[in-house]
């Protein structure tokens, strides 16, 4: 790395190690919106043409319902759907029969709260953290109210890390579940889940662990066996797949202890007038007609992701993140929240005297899409002592130019607002 002086920005660093992944052309949204600088990837990611093609292929070539009919079209649809299950399973090193397709992370957590939560009793305890997304808080709150269960929170430290030392005082013989995000959607913090789970399982191997992988799925190589979690949940739309589809990994032996979540067609073995028996897992948890096209598109998105290779994606995104942080730190009124070394490409910040809403609205006039708000993490906001932040979240198709253009326009916006 070398440094030089720039008239406008002062001393800046020139990097010789910049290698762009250069995949923007695979995403038609960018050719249809020539100036778009899309920096809201933690919310949802853009879709490559291959995923869009797969959806078109399903609807134009073999649209039919799955698992029901014997004709050729239906067999192709069923085969493609079940192949996606294998692709998803391989991606996180699970067994195909341990993968349930849901509408996304939110539905997956709700399914666990209902189906596995059915086994909990009064005074049982669930441990979550202050940095959880609302979808990993509210289902537990509902369950707690219904069953008189206690929810406890792992606090966060000022640097945005979980206070891991506090866990030993928070778990006890009543603890039945620990449910944690792998990567914060607001701060980017990556939680050392392997280490945390090891400690908890050493204390009591019966405590079940749920990992919310909504953010980590795109940025961390996931191996559910190595992590040793009991549940792992994620959404297709955060990894370049369609909306309305997600995956829920459940350790095989736990599936038998869980009641079905939705009742209806396909989740049954035999229906009598007054009672019924259930299909085998995972189909026991997939009642009704599934999001067939989306599931098939989800598999295609993972194939595309695998071709890029997570190592290349990580190296590239980390480089962009470091440049973004370097440049944001040059701007005096910017306060960055909870930036740590082990962090995904997400950064939250506020600017003195500038409301995050105004900042994002003004940036939009330059076709720059960033988020402002509480990012569905109000308990985290309360711990950080703020109501809202601006959030920039990067993805493999962002370029160095995106980062520089964003920071340059941010400087303009600050001038306008002051
Ligand atoms: N958990 C985390 C950490 C998230 O970032 C999100 C999405 N922002 C969710 C859960 C919910 O995901 P979905 O809206 O796809 O169900």
């Amino acid at each position: 790395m070398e440094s030089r002086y720039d008239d406008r920005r002062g001393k800046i660093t020139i990097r010789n190690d910049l290698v762009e992944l250069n995949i923007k052309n695979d995403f038609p949204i960018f050719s249809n919106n020539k100036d778009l600088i899309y920096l809201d990837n933690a919310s949802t990611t853009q879709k490559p043409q291959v995923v869009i093609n797969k959806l078109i292929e399903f609807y134009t070539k073999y649209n039919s319902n799955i698992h029901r009919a014997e004709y050729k079209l239906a067999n192709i649809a069923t085969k493609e759907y079940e192949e996606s299950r294998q692709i998803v399973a391989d991606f996180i090193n699970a067994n195909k029969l341990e993968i349930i397709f849901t509408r996304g992370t939110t539905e997956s957590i709700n399914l666990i709260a209902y189906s596995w939560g059915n086994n909990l009793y009064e005074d049982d305890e669930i441990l979550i953290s202050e940095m959880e997304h609302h979808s990993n808080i509210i289902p537990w709150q509902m369950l707690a109210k219904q069953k008189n269960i206690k929810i406890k929170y792992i606090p966060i430290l000022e640097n945005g890390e979980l206070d891991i030392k506090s866990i030993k005082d928070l778990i006890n013989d009543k603890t039945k579940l620990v449910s944690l995000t792998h990567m914060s959607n607001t701060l980017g913090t990556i939680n050392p889940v392997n280490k945390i789970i090891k400690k908890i399982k050493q204390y009591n191997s019966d405590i079940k662990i749920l990992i919310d992988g909504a953010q980590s799925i795109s940025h961390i190589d996931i191996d559910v066996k190595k992590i040793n979690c009991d549940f792992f949940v994620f959404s297709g739309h955060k990894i370049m797949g369609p909306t309305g589809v997600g995956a829920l990994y459940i350790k095989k032996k736990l599936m038998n202890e869980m009641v079905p979540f939705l009742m209806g067609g396909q989740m049954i073995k035999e229906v009598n007038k007054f009672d019924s028996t259930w299909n085998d897992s995972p189909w026991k948890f997939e009642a009704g007609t599934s999001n067939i096209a989306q599931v098939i598109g989800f598999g295609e998105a993972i194939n595309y992701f695998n071709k890029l290779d997570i190592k290349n994606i990580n190296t590239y995104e980390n480089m962009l993140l470091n440049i973004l942080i370097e440049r944001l730190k040059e701007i005096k009124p910017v306060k960055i929240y909870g930036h740590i070394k082990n962090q995904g490409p997400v950064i939250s910040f506020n600017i003195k005297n500038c409301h995050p809403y105004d900042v994002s609205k003004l940036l939009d006039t330059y076709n720059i899409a960033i988020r402002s708000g509480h990012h569905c993490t109000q308990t985290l906001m309360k711990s950080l002592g703020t109501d809202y932040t601006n959030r920039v979240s990067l993805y493999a198709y962002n370029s160095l130019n995106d980062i520089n253009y964003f920071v340059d326009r941010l400087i303009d916006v600050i001038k306008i607002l002051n």
Side-chain angles (χ1 to χ4, degrees):
M1 260 192 273
E2 57 185 83
S3 291
R4 72 169 162 77
Y5 199 82
D6 179 283
D7 284 346
R8 202 160 40 89
R9 290 193 232 131
K11 186 167 166 275
I12 59 165
T13 303
I14 314 289
R15 304 184 61 124
N16 306 319
D17 55 342
L18 289 182
V19 194
E20 299 238 346
L21 269 187
N22 233 341
I23 53 169
K24 244 186 194 174
N25 289 342
D26 293 349
F27 296 77
I29 194 114
F30 296 116
S31 50
N32 290 322
N33 298 274
K34 286 268 185 262
D35 306 325
L36 174 65
I37 308 285
Y38 186 75
L39 302 172
D40 192 21
N41 295 287
S43 186
T44 197
T45 55
Q46 300 302 338
K47 319 303 171 202
Q49 188 68 54
V50 283
V51 169
I52 299 165
N53 288 350
K54 198 73 190 173
L55 298 176
I56 295 171
E57 180 188 288
F58 169 75
Y59 284 121
T60 54
K61 295 197 173 154
Y62 46 89
N63 173 50
S64 49
N65 215 328
I66 51 166
H67 299 142
R68 288 159 168 79
E70 293 313 320
Y71 51 86
K72 286 194 279 305
L73 235 52
N75 284 340
I76 300 173
T78 302
K79 184 171 155 283
E80 290 276 343
Y81 182 92
E82 290 302 330
E83 265 174 24
S84 269
R85 200 189 304 276
Q86 187 68 58
I87 294 168
V88 169
D90 291 345
F91 189 54
I92 60 170
N93 195 24
N95 184 297
K96 180 177 158 32
L97 300 181
E98 295 173 316
I99 300 295
I100 296 164
F101 286 119
T102 63
R103 277 197 312 121
T105 306
T106 303
E107 186 174 296
S108 297
I109 299 176
N110 275 271
L111 190 157
I112 300 163
Y114 180 88
S115 300
W116 177 81
N118 191 46
N119 305 327
L120 298 186
Y121 296 99
E122 186 164 351
D123 291 337
D124 282 344
E125 294 185 3
I126 292 174
L127 180 62
I128 58 178
S129 87
E130 284 180 354
M131 69 165 74
E132 298 312 314
H133 188 276
H134 294 161
S135 60
N136 196 22
I137 299 176
I138 323 252
W140 310 120
Q141 286 180 350
M142 293 299 285
L143 190 67
K145 284 191 180 128
Q146 279 162 17
K147 298 214 165 204
N148 240 343
I149 288 166
K150 193 167 176 185
I151 302 176
K152 288 180 168 173
Y153 283 84
I154 304 171
I156 59 153
L157 302 169
E158 202 158 324
N159 65 359
E161 280 177 314
L162 286 184
D163 183 1
I164 293 171
K165 285 202 189 109
S166 71
I167 295 178
K168 65 175 185 335
D169 299 323
L170 290 166
I171 52 172
N172 57 47
D173 293 347
K174 293 179 187 161
T175 312
K176 293 291 180 301
L177 176 77
V178 178
S179 185
L180 295 178
T181 188
H182 201 172
M183 173 180 151
S184 162
N185 62 309
T186 300
L187 299 175
T189 307
I190 294 174
N191 292 320
V193 292
N194 298 38
K195 195 170 133 194
I196 295 174
I197 294 173
K198 202 168 161 202
K199 265 191 173 182
I200 293 170
K201 294 272 181 186
Q202 266 167 2
Y203 175 82
N204 179 356
S205 60
D206 284 342
I207 297 176
K208 302 294 176 280
I209 313 278
L210 190 168
I211 298 299
D212 173 353
Q215 295 297 328
S216 62
I217 195 66
S218 266
H219 306 294
I220 299 169
D221 203 357
I222 304 294
D223 181 330
V224 287
K225 296 220 168 69
K226 269 198 197 136
I227 296 177
N228 194 20
C229 53
D230 299 279
F231 308 100
F232 189 91
V233 295
F234 59 104
S235 305
H237 71 100
K238 307 234 192 222
I239 183 164
M240 300 180 282
T243 50
V245 63
L248 161 56
Y249 157 80
I250 304 181
K251 249 186 202 162
K252 187 87 183 71
K253 63 174 191 243
L254 272 182
M255 283 185 168
N256 300 333
E257 299 167 18
M258 292 171 58
V259 291
F261 179 47
L262 296 172
M263 324 294 153
Q266 290 307 306
M267 49 74 69
I268 48 85
K269 209 160 244 162
E270 190 181 338
V271 177
N272 301 305
K273 271 193 176 153
F274 300 107
D275 64 13
S276 305
T277 54
W278 312 138
N279 201 344
D280 296 332
S281 299
W283 303 281
K284 166 176 134 182
F285 298 101
E286 292 178 4
T289 298
S290 306
N291 292 341
I292 307 168
Q294 289 86 336
V295 165
I296 294 170
F298 187 14
E300 192 66 15
I302 292 177
N303 283 341
Y304 176 80
F305 185 91
N306 280 336
K307 276 186 203 142
L308 296 179
D309 195 327
I310 189 144
K311 285 196 194 79
N312 294 334
I313 294 176
N314 277 166
T315 311
Y316 181 62
E317 288 177 343
N318 281 339
M319 183 195 70
L320 289 184
L321 178 70
N322 288 335
I323 292 170
L324 172 64
I325 291 170
E326 268 173 36
R327 288 222 52 204
L328 281 176
K329 280 185 174 165
E330 288 168 14
I331 310 173
K332 274 225 175 77
V334 167
K335 172 185 163 82
I336 294 175
Y337 289 93
H339 165 52
I340 57 161
K341 212 170 158 216
N342 199 12
Q343 161 160 11
V346 176
I347 195 113
S348 259
F349 61 92
N350 269 327
I351 300 163
K352 208 171 165 201
N353 298 332
C354 302
H355 194 285
Y357 175 84
D358 296 336
V359 172
S360 62
K361 203 72 194 150
L362 280 172
L363 284 170
D364 183 48
T365 63
Y366 301 105
N367 278 332
I368 299 171
I370 73 159
R371 265 286 284 285
S372 59
H374 53 63
H375 320 296
C376 298
T377 52
Q378 286 188 5
T379 56
L380 175 62
M381 290 293 131
K382 283 170 189 144
S383 306
L384 295 174
T386 184
D387 292 327
Y388 308 110
T389 67
N390 283 121
R391 181 187 71 182
V392 170
S393 48
L394 310 174
Y395 210 72
Y397 41 67
N398 284 125
S399 64
L400 182 59
N401 183 51
D402 290 351
I403 309 284
N404 282 327
Y405 186 72
F406 156 69
V407 179
D408 290 345
R409 296 294 76 76
L410 184 68
I411 293 167
D412 294 342
V413 163
I414 295 171
K415 281 184 196 141
I416 296 168
L417 289 173
N418 274 276

